Amino acid sequence: MSGFDTRAIHAGQDPNPATGDVVVPLHLATTFKQDGVGGLRGGYEYARSGNPTRAALQELLASLEEGVAGLAFASGLAAEDTLLRTVCEPGSHVVLGGDAYGGTYRLISRVVSRWGVEHTPADLNDPDALRAAIRPGSTRVVWCETPTNPLLNVADIALTAEVAHEAGAILVVDNTFASPYLQRPLTLGADVVVHSTTKYLGGHSDVVGGALVVGDDDLAEQLAYHQNAMGAVSGPLSDWLVVRGIKTLGVRMDRHQDNAGRIAEYLLEHPAVSRVLYPGLPDHPGHDVAAKQMSGFGGMLSFRLAAGEEAALRACERAQLFTLAESLGGVESLIEHPHRMTHASAAGSPLEVPADLVRLSVGIEDVDDLLADLEQALA
């Protein structure tokens, strides 16, 4: 198998045989001419069911995650919804990692629950707690993020997969924070990888998309059926933008995590900061597991303010180079207050995040400029 950066630039992207295009063509057609009834060219008939630009992205995603198939969707939550409705049914049960993205929690607790699917939060760092949360015979999915959003907790993927498989459940890993450049859950025992391709894969804050990558042919076939039947597919322009973004994923991630490491060390010494949450710090409780299953520690970090919520809000509002905005993974640095922004839907639940928490998506700007901005924001 070729190296990661080589696959990022070439997998699913062979030059067009008719024209020699070195960039994947953008196919905007919604329907495709048939050579006689049922005589499909390349298997394409209608763009919801298949599009050549989407096919290129899906092949690329499968290659990067070392899976058998990739599936592209209109958003990360569209991918999650399709997955849950494929593998669950009324009466099914999901174990949800105790620190999960607020949108995932909202989908499972307030949308899928109305369909008769129940869930239990669990600390995935504690195998006994995970086993206690599982309901034999009804738990279909163990849902894991690692590193988590926004508390940067790290779960042992191989161990979690072992416990899930003992119970006959599948392990789903949201790999958005790490990206396949730093972590490949399927190689560690996971069954499905979820991505918001909006984030590091797209990388430029100009596309919304989601993806599933699967390690099993039968499950891939089921998911592909539901992708078409439910129809929450990505559009060709979105597919094209994600393919373009992935070409530079490796070099971007190197810079993201170099900057994040410098910022984490700076915040660790800042008198206004009570705690820094970054897996790259040796005293992070998940540092050893992260070092074992990741090739780097990523560009996301969070920190808590000793003076509480108002100080956190002031820091977010005073930042200038760090843009106050939701989302993450773009080349520009972002700052946000998860309690009131991305994770507001988890308020009052076991997944509620601390009100004094600030989350940073560290971009690829000159790190000295980022440090200066944090200095004035925390003054």
Side-chain angles (χ1 to χ4, degrees):
M1 180 182 291
S2 300
F4 184 92
D5 289 320
T6 301
R7 285 181 283 131
I9 294 169
H10 294 284
Q13 302 169 70
D14 290 338
N16 186 289
T19 63
D21 294 5
V22 297
V23 173
V24 169
L26 173 58
H27 291 268
L28 295 174
T30 58
T31 191
F32 301 87
K33 175 178 170 57
Q34 299 186 18
D35 297 321
V37 176
L40 307 183
R41 298 186 188 182
Y44 299 107
E45 56 181 332
Y46 182 61
R48 185 193 68 251
S49 304
N51 174 284
T53 310
R54 189 191 316 145
L57 172 59
Q58 293 181 154
E59 182 178 342
L60 174 57
L61 291 167
S63 176
L64 297 184
E65 286 286 5
E66 300 183 38
V68 300
L71 300 164
F73 295 85
S75 69
L77 283 170
E80 294 184 9
D81 181 46
T82 302
L83 170 61
L84 288 167
R85 288 200 278 167
T86 299
V87 302
C88 295
E89 60 189 14
S92 296
H93 176 251
V94 175
V95 175
L96 180 63
D99 172 22
Y101 166 53
T104 301
Y105 174 75
R106 180 178 59 233
L107 174 66
I108 290 175
S109 67
R110 301 182 186 176
V111 179
V112 182
S113 63
R114 296 176 62 192
W115 190 45
V117 174
E118 298 182 346
H119 75 281
T120 303
D123 180 1
L124 300 186
N125 293 307
D126 182 348
D128 292 333
L130 173 55
R131 288 188 176 95
I134 288 173
R135 300 179 186 175
S138 63
T139 299
R140 299 289 179 85
V141 174
V142 174
W143 194 284
C144 169
E145 289 181 27
T146 184
T148 62
N149 180 8
L151 298 178
L152 281 300
N153 288 318
V154 174
D156 187 322
I157 295 173
L159 179 59
T160 307
E162 181 180 329
V163 176
H165 295 159
E166 286 174 0
I170 66 169
L171 174 62
V172 176
V173 176
D174 186 332
N175 201 29
T176 297
F177 264 30
S179 87
Y181 181 67
L182 300 180
Q183 178 175 267
R184 288 175 286 283
L186 296 178
T187 68
L188 300 169
D191 301 284
V192 184
V193 171
V194 174
H195 281 286
S196 170
T197 57
T198 309
K199 312 305 193 298
Y200 286 110
L201 293 175
H204 294 78
S205 302
D206 57 8
V207 59
V208 173
L212 302 174
V213 185
V214 197
D216 175 78
D217 288 315
D218 290 340
L219 182 55
E221 185 177 348
Q222 295 174 43
L223 288 169
Y225 174 86
H226 284 81
Q227 178 194 38
N228 179 55
M230 295 167 65
V233 296
S234 53
L237 178 57
S238 297
D239 298 326
W240 189 91
L241 288 169
V242 175
V243 171
R244 179 218 54 184
I246 287 174
K247 288 177 182 288
T248 59
L249 176 62
V251 293
R252 286 188 286 107
M253 290 303 297
D254 285 340
R255 183 64 170 268
H256 282 300
Q257 62 183 348
D258 285 349
N259 284 357
R262 284 278 304 278
I263 289 170
E265 292 173 359
Y266 162 78
L267 292 171
L268 206 57
E269 303 298 324
H270 199 288
V273 175
S274 62
R275 189 179 178 195
V276 182
L277 308 175
Y278 183 63
L281 295 173
D283 64 348
H284 186 283
H287 175 77
D288 291 343
V289 173
K292 176 183 70 172
Q293 67 188 20
M294 301 173 69
S295 59
F297 301 107
M300 298 299 300
L301 64 89
S302 296
F303 61 95
R304 300 182 68 172
L305 275 297
E309 182 176 11
E310 290 305 314
L313 293 171
R314 283 196 302 272
C316 291
E317 292 164 358
R318 287 171 57 90
Q320 297 174 6
L321 193 55
F322 279 88
T323 301
L324 178 60
E326 297 191 0
S327 197
L328 59 104
V331 293
E332 62 286 307
S333 293
L334 303 178
I335 188 169
E336 69 123 357
H337 185 256
H339 183 75
R340 296 200 184 189
M341 294 171 67
T342 52
H343 289 68
S345 62
S349 79
L351 280 72
E352 183 174 15
V353 298
D356 60 3
L357 186 78
V358 174
R359 190 191 75 180
L360 301 180
S361 173
V362 180
I364 65 172
E365 301 95 337
D366 290 329
V367 70
D368 289 339
D369 294 331
L370 296 175
L371 291 169
D373 189 38
L374 288 173
E375 180 71 23
Q376 68 82 26
L378 294 170

